[in-house]
Amino acid sequence: MFSIFKEHKGFGKQIFLLAKDELIKTYKGAVIGPLWAFVKPAFTIFVYWFAFSVGIKALRAINVDLGGTEPASFDFFTFMFVGIIPWFFIQDSIIQGARALRNNRQFITKVKFPVSTILTYTALSRLFVHLLLIVAMYVYVVLKVGVSWYNLQFFLYCPLMFIFFVALSWSTSPMSAFSKDFENLIVSVMSGIFWLSGIMYDSYGFDEPLRTVMMVNPINFFVNGYRNCFLYNRPFYANKTELAIFIVEFVVIFVLGIINYNRLRKKLPDVL
């Protein structure tokens, strides 16, 4: 752990500059450049709005049991909008995080550069886009639902989400560098992960034991967390079981990431 942190020391400015360059490189050659990072999720949100709010009338309202006498009710688009915003960051972080070392092999094979910082600035470039989408979402939420002190919990969930998926890339990116098949596997399962996560539906709404099983998916923790912030007005510790499961998963991912990174990083120059 300390060796990874040590690699970041003195590279703060470079990480931010490389994160910006990573974002520019992703959309190089496009007429509107980095604005595609906003256009793509905006189009996806429009498609889901049309399909579920206009096309499927039965799904206009989502009722969520928040422990009160009556379940809270939200129109489907608002419910989906708040849940899908973290998903865009999560999806890009998982896929781009797995590809980061292979896509930036020149930093590993040609120059002496701290390898772990590549994973950090790749995720940071995705975070820039995420914050832009958050601003758009928050304006909508304020107009639709209003302002709440619980909105401040965003500053807990967002950094935690960033750290979690950077730590995940400590394992997935070296493994993808060793095996292209592993990278292809990650890309292939992302669509299934989307539908297994509570983005388009309320994961709290299942009966036991499926309700607890859904909490094992860490993506649900962040999706529900964003809804706690902006819709449910609930503290992050409201569901202690979900919080406890996530803490265990966070520690496991962090420790495995450190082990895998330190085990594989010295072999990366030869592999790439």
Side-chain angles (χ1 to χ4, degrees), residues 114-134:
V115 175
S116 62
T117 61
I118 297 173
L119 306 175
T120 302
Y121 78 69
T122 299
L124 188 61
S125 69
R126 301 297 98 196
L127 186 62
F128 292 159
V129 177
H130 181 64
L131 294 177
L132 176 66
L133 294 175
I134 283 293

Side-chain angles (χ1 to χ4, degrees), residues 149-158 228-229 234-236:
W149 287 108
Y150 291 100
N151 298 162
L152 294 175
Q153 291 183 125
F154 166 77
F155 296 103
L156 169 65
Y157 283 108
C158 185
N228 285 339
C229 294
R234 297 200 310 174
F236 68 92

Side-chain angles (χ1 to χ4, degrees), residues 22-174:
E22 177 76 9
L23 187 61
I24 294 172
K25 183 174 66 176
T26 301
Y27 301 99
K28 185 177 181 181
V31 176
I32 61 174
L35 283 178
W36 277 114
F38 184 81
V39 172
K40 180 181 177 182
F43 176 74
T44 303
I45 291 170
F46 169 77
V47 170
Y48 287 134
W49 167 78
F50 183 83
F52 291 100
S53 289
V54 178
I56 305 178
K57 307 284 187 182
L59 291 177
R60 279 187 177 271
I62 294 289
N63 298 314
V64 182
D65 183 8
L66 300 178
T69 55
E70 294 184 1
S73 182
F74 307 95
D75 67 89
F76 181 79
F77 178 74
T78 301
F79 177 85
M80 180 274 296
F81 192 16
V82 175
I84 204 170
I85 291 297
W87 166 253
F88 290 133
F89 174 81
I90 291 169
Q91 176 181 241
D92 284 348
S93 293
I94 293 175
I95 294 177
Q96 298 304 324
R99 293 171 172 171
L101 297 183
R102 186 182 292 274
N103 289 346
N104 295 278
R105 67 184 71 191
Q106 70 276 11
F107 289 126
I108 303 172
T109 59
K110 296 181 180 179
V111 297
K112 187 177 181 180
F113 194 81
V115 175
S116 62
T117 61
I118 297 173
L119 306 175
T120 302
Y121 78 69
T122 299
L124 188 61
S125 69
R126 301 297 98 196
L127 186 62
F128 292 159
V129 177
H130 181 64
L131 294 177
L132 176 66
L133 294 175
I134 283 293
V135 172
M137 183 203 72
Y138 190 61
V139 171
Y140 175 84
V141 168
V142 169
L143 294 174
K144 191 77 175 181
V145 181
V147 179
S148 167
W149 287 108
Y150 291 100
N151 298 162
L152 294 175
Q153 291 183 125
F154 166 77
F155 296 103
L156 169 65
Y157 283 108
C158 185
L160 197 59
M161 182 170 65
F162 176 79
I163 295 170
F164 182 87
F165 288 102
V166 169
L168 179 64
S169 70
W170 293 344
S171 290
T172 59
S173 200

